[in-house]
Amino acid sequence: QQQVKQSPQSLIVQKGGISIINCAYENTAFDYFPWYQQFPGKGPALLIAIRPDVSEKKEGRFTISFNKSAKQFSLHIMDSQPGDSATYFCAATLGRDYKLSFGAGTTVTVRA
Amino acid sequence: GAVVSQHPSWVICKSGTSVKIECRSLDFQATTMFWYRQFPKQSLMLMATSNEGSKATYEQGVEKDKFLINHASLTLSTLTVTSAHPEDSSFYICSAFAGTLHEQYFGPGTRLTVT
């Protein structure tokens, strides 16, 4: 049973546009929500993360929006660049064991 | 900082042989390491959690006798795929967690092909 549902499966955006990826979770005990970026043939790299006591976090062109009541969180990539073309995974974890529950992933393609 | 390495980056082996994959945290001590496998165009699937000096905890459906995990020190964990078969061909990724950093950092992955 997938504990974190991610959508869309893939998206194409023009250079300079905004990419939006959405995730929803069921377990209200989750207390840490990271996003990972993965390029083909490489391991995932931590992009940005948020805790449920914060509704938004921004780092450069990447922003996480968190809605605790709706049990949803999303990643916004502003001013998308061709170098952002990758697969993005949302995840959630419980503080006591740190095991990550991953979403299914979203392949983002940025067209120049 | 927070660099995790894996060795080898890719390996080809014959069916029936065993393969060992190393995962090292280079600049921090990892109290816990995780092993994942990833099939093409799919998400990461957690295989097991290893804590230094204790037995690994395997996820449901993962054969502990086939995927041997040893976490010998705070900077090294190994995954041995025993009696490998073609269906074990996959991308294996480790991650390391340090309580002081509150983050999980992933290795670059190991591509295993069993012929």
Side-chain angles (χ1 to χ4, degrees), chain A residues 58-101:
Chain A
K58 182 177 181 179
E59 290 185 4
R61 294 184 294 108
F62 301 92
T63 300
I64 299 178
S65 297
F66 188 85
N67 186 329
K68 188 173 180 178
S69 60
K71 295 187 286 185
Q72 295 176 346
F73 59 110
S74 60
L75 175 70
H76 293 230
I77 306 173
M78 313 298 285
D79 187 26
S80 296
Q81 298 297 311
D84 297 332
S85 296
T87 299
Y88 293 81
F89 294 96
C90 61
T93 187
L94 292 166
R96 64 174 182 267
D97 63 16
Y98 306 107
K99 290 200 294 186
L100 288 167
S101 294

Side-chain angles (χ1 to χ4, degrees), chain A residues 6-13 20-21 86 105-109:
Chain A
Q6 183 173 347
S7 64
Q9 185 176 7
S10 64
L11 68 90
I12 298 174
V13 62
I20 302 174
I21 305 169
T106 298
T107 300
V108 174
T109 302

Side-chain angles (χ1 to χ4, degrees), chain A residues 2 9 32 34 36 38 41-46 49 51 89 93 97-100 102-105, chain B residues 32 34 36 38 41-44 46 49 59 91 93 97 99 102-109 111:
Chain A
Q2 193 171 28
Q9 185 176 7
Y32 179 69
Y36 291 89
Q38 186 180 33
K42 305 294 184 184
L46 180 65
R51 296 194 183 275
F89 294 96
T93 187
D97 63 16
Y98 306 107
K99 290 200 294 186
L100 288 167
F102 280 94
Chain B
T32 302
F34 300 89
Y36 298 83
Q38 185 179 34
K41 299 191 184 301
Q42 292 190 23
S43 189
L44 285 77
L46 179 65
T49 303
E59 294 300 302
F91 193 50
I93 309 171
F97 172 79
H102 302 289
E103 306 286 359
Q104 263 190 58
Y105 293 91
F106 285 82
R111 173 75 59 194

